[in-house]
Amino acid sequence: MDYKKVVAQRIKQLVDLDIEIIEGLIEIPPKPEMGDFAFPCFQLSKTMKKAPNAIANDLKEKIDGEKNLNGGFEKIECFGPYLNFFLDKGVFIKNTVEKILAEGESYGSSKMGEGKNIVVEYSSPNIAKPFHVGHLFTTVIGSSLYKILSFEGYNCTGINHLGDWGTQFGKLIYAYKNWVDEEALTKEPIKELLRIYVKFHDEADIDPTLNEQAKMYFKNLEDGSAEEVRLWTKFRDISLIEFKKLYDTLNVKFDSYAGESFYCDKMDDVIKDIEDKGLLVESNGAKVVMLDEYNMPPCIIKKSDGATIYATRDLAAATYRKKTYDFYKNIYVVGKDQSLHFNQVFTTLKLMGNKWADDCKHVAFGTVRFADKKLSTRKGDVIFLDELLNQAVAKTLEIINLKNPDLENKEDVAKKVGIGAIIFTYLKNGRERDIVFNWEEMLSFDGETGPYVQYTYARAKSILRKVEENSNKPANDVVLDYNKLNSKEEFELVKQLEGFQNSILHAIDKLEPSMVTRYAIEVAKAFNKFYNQHNIANLEDESNKQAKIKMVEATCQVIKNALNLIGIEVVDRM
Ligand code: ARG
């Protein structure tokens, strides 16, 4: 039941305001002693020509007789100009817990997005270059948005827009032909490709003619010359094998790997379209779309040597996506340093007369740094992700060895918790904020971390195991009494559980998975407050005990569903 709606609907019958306005006015009181919803009467004062306090009193008198409004409320009170509603705790807790347990894994989901297609582009690493911490950022945000949107019924298509085309392939072909160590390439392909790519830049600084040769190789590649295409395919294939290992570890999936190269044969149409619309102008030998009017530098469509670039491929990609997926929203999860690029692309699409350009959204994110210097000063200034993930797992294993040395499946738990800790760190704050990775902080079992939430889940599970082991009576014989869950901690916990879907809707509205991450932290906090005050295992009163058990089960379900949406698996023991 949507209690806020119930309140709003009842008030609507009494006052002359639209239901949306009433809903917008309803507040959550600052203290639990003041109830669960408050309706301020200030706004009515003008039209009703009465003091807000008096209006609140009038309203209370009118509703008071039927105080439970569909059985959901215990009482209504006036606090000055506010009309405050108190939920009937027993009924509320019963309804919420039973709903969660009945709906299980789908609790929090809806059909809200039914019939709407959303394209989510994320990860999009560059072939033959390492996958860096920024790519991990887009990967976890995008994958989470995909899960969140799908959970609410949207039909999502996840696209990995691989950086598999562009002049850098000319450089790489040159470097490969001159410096590759085939043995190293087999053993650690991305590292070797990076080594020779970095070498290319060093050498080209000394001898700039290398750039001319690289250009020629890329031109050959664009023209379909067999040797260059063979090498390009090789680079792409070995890089993809590596990337896919990482996606498997992170449990991230894509519906399409159509990268930049996929649009090679689709660019001419777009360029022609731009030209037909009279938008293409010549500038220093290049072909561009002028964006002065929008205070932006021109969007370059073709370079002076005739080669197309990044932006051209994005124009073709967006057009293709509209045609293929008929999207309602087309989302790009890409670092905020590319904001100008997307602004140029979207504006150009709009100038071309595509109304749907407004449905294209750049979901930007900040930068990532490491508090631990060692990780950030490798040659080539890159952090290898496999090393990062391995370290997270190894460090988590150390902690488990200290805290719970007898745990079974330690490695598996360390993997879920360690990798979960990294994902959690990425998704904990608003995505545009920069992140500083700090091992100690992110692996801590208390504080706002992944391990903390996972540990809370494992704790809750252990209560359930303990009670089950010690009970001699089948739980089914006991009549549950939710009215006995009348402590502040219990009510606050269940209120949190009830707010799950709301957090998801906020996350969708802002395209911010952090709304769900923060929600998971709040549930964990509320549960721990309860856990510290109440001992379930020793309770004599079976009807109270069983009700508490159900509430703990419901808590586990909600934490599991929430973590799932951000791409983290729970563990029963840790
Ligand atoms: N490959 C690019 C990079 O690593 C990101 C691609 C972003 N997506 C796009 N449609 N332009 O920086």
Side-chain angles (χ1 to χ4, degrees), residues 123-133 135 162-172 185 188-198 201 235-236 238-240 242-243 246-247 260 310 338 380 382-385:
S123 201
S124 312
N126 300 315
I127 294 300
K129 286 201 213 158
F131 197 103
H132 59 68
V133 285
H135 290 121
L162 293 172
D164 59 1
W165 206 249
T167 46
Q168 73 270 28
F169 286 94
K171 298 176 185 171
L172 204 61
L185 190 66
E188 293 191 297
I190 298 197
K191 281 183 192 169
E192 178 58 9
L193 289 176
L194 178 69
R195 183 188 70 83
I196 60 174
Y197 186 70
V198 170
H201 285 272
F235 302 151
R236 191 180 192 271
I238 55 182
S239 298
L240 263 184
E242 294 295 301
F243 294 155
L246 194 69
Y247 296 140
E260 293 186 42
Y310 190 52
Q338 294 196 31
V382 279
I383 297 138
F384 290 104
L385 244 357

Side-chain angles (χ1 to χ4, degrees), residues 88-94 480-487 490 543-544 547:
D88 181 323
K89 297 188 174 58
V91 174
F92 172 77
I93 290 176
K94 179 176 191 293
L480 306 181
D481 192 348
Y482 287 104
N483 280 309
K484 289 181 175 152
L485 304 185
N486 52 14
S487 73
E490 284 157 326
S543 64
N544 182 354

Side-chain angles (χ1 to χ4, degrees), residues 474-503:
N476 292 346
D477 289 357
V478 182
V479 182
L480 306 181
D481 192 348
Y482 287 104
N483 280 309
K484 289 181 175 152
L485 304 185
N486 52 14
S487 73
K488 186 173 159 233
E489 294 79 24
E490 284 157 326
F491 185 51
E492 288 303 311
L493 172 58
V494 178
K495 262 174 108 175
Q496 280 294 343
L497 300 182
E498 201 260 344
F500 182 36
Q501 190 172 56
N502 213 15
S503 79

